[in-house]
Amino acid sequence: MGMESALLLSNRMDPKLKELAELKAAGLVSCEFCLDIGSALATGAGITEQQLRDLPRYRESGAYTDLEKLVIGYAEAMTLTPAVGEDLAELRGRLAEHLSETQIVELAMTVAWENQRARLNQSLGVRPTGMSDGLACAVPERMS
């Protein structure tokens, strides 16, 4: 509860960017519960239906800004195993051109926390509860 509250109240990052990162991580872990609640929260953060649909193919999509693509790519690199290497370091450097060090830390914590949440939910068999019924919803993805 403390970590959730701290991330919610940190407010150094644009909530839309944080939500896109969380949705990407949840999709890669295939946590349908996280995608259900995240998709329901997405509209409030300013994420469009097109962005939700295009998340698995964000690189080719025209629905995202360059910064949004960097943030999604960073979340992807952090979620893939192993979460190290040139891709992650290069993405961090590119993010530093747009975000402060504090914002990058907040983004990294957001993605790490979503990975923890999504993997815990998956291991316990937590299923979607219909929070995004009637709305566009991000879909599970396969990790490379």
Side-chain angles (χ1 to χ4, degrees), residues 62-136:
Y64 304 100
T65 66
D66 290 341
L67 178 56
E68 290 168 342
K69 287 181 180 183
L70 277 174
V71 166
I72 296 166
Y74 187 71
E76 181 178 60
M78 278 188 66
T79 303
L80 296 176
T81 303
V84 295
E86 280 185 39
D87 289 345
L88 198 51
E90 188 246 329
L91 282 166
R92 215 175 28 252
R94 290 175 52 207
L95 281 169
E97 296 172 14
H98 304 276
L99 304 175
S100 70
E101 187 174 306
T102 303
Q103 289 173 313
I104 294 171
V105 169
E106 184 175 335
L107 175 60
M109 285 299 301
T110 298
V111 174
W113 186 246
E114 182 57 37
N115 267 272
Q116 184 276 336
R117 252 190 325 232
R119 292 169 192 279
L120 178 65
N121 288 339
Q122 282 291 78
S123 70
L124 296 175
V126 177
R127 306 293 305 146
T129 60
M131 288 176 259
S132 64
D133 285 356
L135 305 171

Side-chain angles (χ1 to χ4, degrees), residues 25-43:
L28 288 168
V29 176
S30 295
C31 179
E32 293 176 4
F33 175 80
C34 297
L35 291 168
D36 183 30
I37 191 170
S39 294
L41 296 171
T43 303

